[in-house]
């Protein structure tokens, strides 16, 4: 008899679509270590860097709705 064809399925894990949230949290933690006057600018710059390209304003805890 001839060999039977075998179907092999390979699962490729999808990248985590929210991986950037961990990067944002890390950046905000770094900002928290700065001085009183530097902290707000640092935090907003981090939010702009991560929240804007991911369209996350108002959808993720660390990306509040912009006024």
């Amino acid at each position: 008899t001839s060999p039977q064809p075998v179907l092999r399925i390979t699962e490729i894990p999808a990248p985590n679509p929210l991986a950037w949230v961990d990067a944002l949290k890390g950046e905000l933690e770094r900002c928290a270590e700065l001085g009183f006057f530097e902290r707000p600018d640092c935090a907003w710059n981090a939010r702009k860097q991560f929240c804007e390209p991911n369209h996350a304003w108002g959808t993720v805890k660390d990306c509040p709705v912009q006024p």
Side-chain angles (χ1 to χ4, degrees), residues 2-24:
S2 62
Q4 294 293 316
V6 176
L7 177 63
R8 294 177 192 254
I9 298 174
T10 303
E11 290 188 30
I12 301 171
N16 179 358
L18 294 177
W20 64 269
V21 174
D22 291 334
L24 170 60

Side-chain angles (χ1 to χ4, degrees), residues 8-39:
R8 294 177 192 254
I9 298 174
T10 303
E11 290 188 30
I12 301 171
N16 179 358
L18 294 177
W20 64 269
V21 174
D22 291 334
L24 170 60
K25 287 180 181 178
E27 194 66 17
L28 291 174
E29 287 172 7
R30 187 186 67 76
C31 293
E33 296 172 1
L34 296 176
F36 178 79
F37 294 105
E38 294 86 6
R39 203 175 311 139

